[in-house]
Amino acid sequence: MELSSRLEYALVALLEIADRQAQGKPLKVNEIAASQSLPERYLDQIFTSLKRQGILSSQRGMKGGYLLARELWQISLFDVVVAIEGSGDRKKVDPTIPNTLEKIVIVQTFEGIKESVNEILKSYTLQDLAKTLETQRQSSPMYYI
């Protein structure tokens, strides 16, 4: 599995929202784009997908912005991947083409790999990423002069 820029931006933005949400403040797309150096229009499209899948919710108005629709521990990496990349069902077996034993073995093997990857993604949540981020922040403090 490859980490696309779209998926990377989504995860970075979700971590930023999670961090700010702990303070009870929704976050605007332009704030995230500025703080993380991400393209704002692209982030808008990503947020539309995340909102459609029930990962984000939005508040309108002057103090509006985006919030997580669920708790951190309830959002798996699999949920985010599906929201951003889709379910990944790209290769379908065409019944009109004769299947050789080699083709069947290859398709079955890759289906097994896909299932294994999906199970791993389901076992990690945004809370896991947030904890790792916090650990990294604590282990490498920044000094200001």
Side-chain angles (χ1 to χ4, degrees):
M1 180 183 167
E2 194 172 311
L3 179 64
S4 68
S5 60
R6 188 171 163 86
L7 181 57
E8 181 182 355
Y9 293 172
L11 291 169
V12 166
L14 288 169
L15 286 174
E16 183 87 13
I17 291 170
D19 196 37
R20 185 72 69 89
Q21 189 163 321
Q23 303 166 9
K25 299 177 184 176
L27 210 53
K28 293 178 174 41
V29 173
N30 63 347
E31 293 173 316
I32 298 169
S35 71
Q36 296 293 333
S37 301
L38 301 175
E40 189 175 332
R41 286 184 168 217
Y42 198 40
L43 211 50
D44 265 329
Q45 294 170 4
I46 291 169
F47 279 20
T48 299
S49 298
L50 293 170
K51 190 174 175 188
R52 192 177 311 123
Q53 292 296 320
I55 294 171
L56 287 180
S57 63
S58 61
Q59 290 182 352
R60 292 179 179 232
M62 192 69 156
K63 294 183 180 184
Y66 285 92
L67 296 164
L68 296 175
R70 298 181 257 160
E71 297 293 325
L72 281 174
W73 61 270
Q74 294 176 316
I75 303 170
S76 72
L77 295 187
F78 179 78
D79 296 334
V80 179
V81 169
V82 169
I84 298 303
E85 306 289 346
S87 64
D89 293 335
R90 290 181 176 86
K91 177 70 176 163
K92 299 285 185 196
V93 177
D94 188 350
T96 62
I97 299 173
N99 284 325
T100 64
L101 186 56
E102 292 83 1
K103 287 180 183 178
I104 292 169
V105 167
I106 290 168
V107 169
Q108 287 174 345
T109 300
F110 276 85
E111 281 298 315
I113 292 168
K114 178 182 160 194
E115 288 175 25
S116 297
V117 168
N118 287 346
E119 288 306 311
I120 292 169
L121 289 171
K122 288 175 184 176
S123 72
Y124 285 94
T125 65
L126 284 181
Q127 185 172 27
D128 297 324
L129 289 181
K131 284 180 182 178
T132 303
L133 178 62
E134 189 57 35
T135 301
Q136 292 290 330
R137 283 180 181 158
Q138 291 175 1
S139 67
S140 59
M142 298 184 83
Y143 296 98
Y144 295 97
I145 299 175

